[in-house]
Amino acid sequence: MRNWSLVCFTLFTQSAIGLVWVSVMGRWFGGGTRADFSIGPMSITLILTGLGMYAALAHLAKPRLAPNALRNLTASWLSREVLLVQTFAGAVALLILISLLDTSSGLVILEAAACLLGGAALFAMTRVYLLKTVPVWNSPATLLEFAGSAMLLGGALGAVLTAFRDTDQSGWSPALIVAAIGILLGLILKFTAISPALAAEQAARAQTWYEPADAPLSICRALTVRIGLNLAGLVLILTAMSGSGPTWLWSCLCLACLGTAEVVGRQRFYKAYRLSLIHISEPTRRH
């Protein structure tokens, strides 16, 4: 159950960060209006971030003690992660307020700040898992995976919002193109992460005394499912951009495929932690 709370926290938060990146880049370079790229996407960003933080509480034995997580900012990446995610949410809330007040004063600066805070929160989230005692996580693959998730899910969410908002169904709107670029970048990061991820897991297994008989097969199955779903998502977003059929349908199916792939991958990520537990708890039974 606690794995699911972390899956929800990381994926919801990374989706929110990616959506901010895609939305801001779309407004800056895609010719979107302030209302199009601030109120709608930013409101969903705030909801996703709130859901992520709520899910994180389920991981705590005593949720009422959650404020204590901020007490060790000088030494703990977990404390920095909590602070940066909350600060990111605050910047997004200010963006929504400025949009509602129909003022452009400070909008660009605040958008840039939200993007940077999102990136900082994502980096802190990554550093939480770069532990020497957990070699299967202590790899560049973790950063590539998390950044890829942000771009994939943020881009897919941006594509869905664009498809429902735009009246032009040709599929080649600037906002949809920006979203598609985000998805493509996310896929590149994901596929780049495969090699170091497999190397880290193989190294962790080499240090353990016990390995389930079907472990290599389960790794291949999960990887095959993820690659298939990611490629299906890419085909669907390209179909949406081609203008053949309802853009909103292809965009929603793309989000469903990419989201399922991310859930499968994140569950696999947390299950791999058991390799380190076996190594730590039973070091003398390796042979």
Side-chain angles (χ1 to χ4, degrees):
M1 180 62 187
R2 292 197 175 187
N3 276 0
W4 277 108
S5 67
L6 291 175
V7 169
C8 292
F9 167 66
T10 54
L11 290 183
F12 280 148
T13 306
Q14 289 160 16
S15 299
I17 292 169
L19 182 56
V20 168
W21 288 346
V22 169
S23 300
V24 170
M25 292 303 106
R27 196 183 83 81
W28 286 359
F29 304 110
T33 64
R34 179 176 64 252
D36 286 343
F37 284 90
S38 291
I39 296 179
M42 296 305 164
S43 297
I44 293 177
T45 292
L46 198 58
I47 292 171
L48 287 172
T49 307
L51 289 173
M53 290 190 290
Y54 179 78
L57 293 177
H59 187 68
L60 302 177
K62 297 180 180 180
R64 69 177 184 277
L65 299 179
N68 292 339
L70 295 172
R71 289 186 173 181
N72 197 19
L73 291 172
T74 58
S76 170
W77 280 105
L78 179 62
S79 295
R80 296 165 190 166
E81 174 196 37
V82 173
L83 178 63
L84 286 168
V85 169
Q86 292 178 352
T87 308
F88 167 72
V92 171
L94 283 177
L95 271 175
I96 296 173
L97 179 61
I98 287 179
S99 297
L100 290 174
L101 294 176
D102 197 25
T103 176
S104 59
S105 178
L107 181 64
V108 173
I109 295 176
L110 196 53
E111 285 175 333
C115 289
L116 291 174
L117 286 169
L122 184 66
F123 179 73
M125 193 180 300
T126 302
R127 288 301 305 267
V128 168
Y129 295 98
L130 297 183
L131 304 171
K132 291 182 179 180
T133 54
V134 189
V136 73
W137 290 349
N138 191 26
S139 160
T142 300
L143 177 59
L144 293 170
E145 278 279 349
F146 283 12
S149 297
M151 297 305 300
L152 275 178
L153 297 178
L157 281 168
V160 170
L161 293 173
T162 299
F164 278 104
R165 186 189 64 237
D166 289 352
T167 55
D168 179 17
Q169 294 298 313
S170 65
W172 287 96
S173 66
L176 187 58
I177 292 173
V178 170
I181 291 173
I183 291 174
L184 181 60
L185 289 175
L187 284 174
I188 291 172
L189 290 170
K190 288 289 180 179
F191 279 89
T192 305
I194 290 176
S195 179
L198 290 177
E201 188 155 347
Q202 192 174 29
R205 290 184 184 280
Q207 299 176 25
T208 64
W209 63 270
Y210 169 76
E211 181 177 357
D214 66 341
L217 186 60
S218 64
I219 295 173
C220 292
R221 282 175 180 168
L223 187 58
T224 301
V225 169
R226 292 180 64 195
I227 290 175
L229 288 169
N230 282 332
L231 291 177
L234 178 61
V235 170
L236 287 165
I237 194 63
L238 292 176
T239 303
M241 292 179 65
S242 70
S244 57
T247 302
W248 65 268
L249 177 60
W250 306 131
S251 299
C252 288
L253 290 175
C254 172
L255 176 60
C257 286
L258 297 179
T260 303
E262 288 306 291
V263 170
V264 170
R266 199 54 51 87
Q267 272 289 88
R268 180 71 199 170
F269 177 83
Y270 286 113
K271 284 182 178 179
Y273 177 65
R274 291 181 299 180
L275 290 174
S276 299
L277 287 181
I278 292 171
H279 176 54
I280 293 171
S281 61
E282 300 282 351
T284 61
R285 297 181 60 180
R286 179 178 174 184
H287 302 293

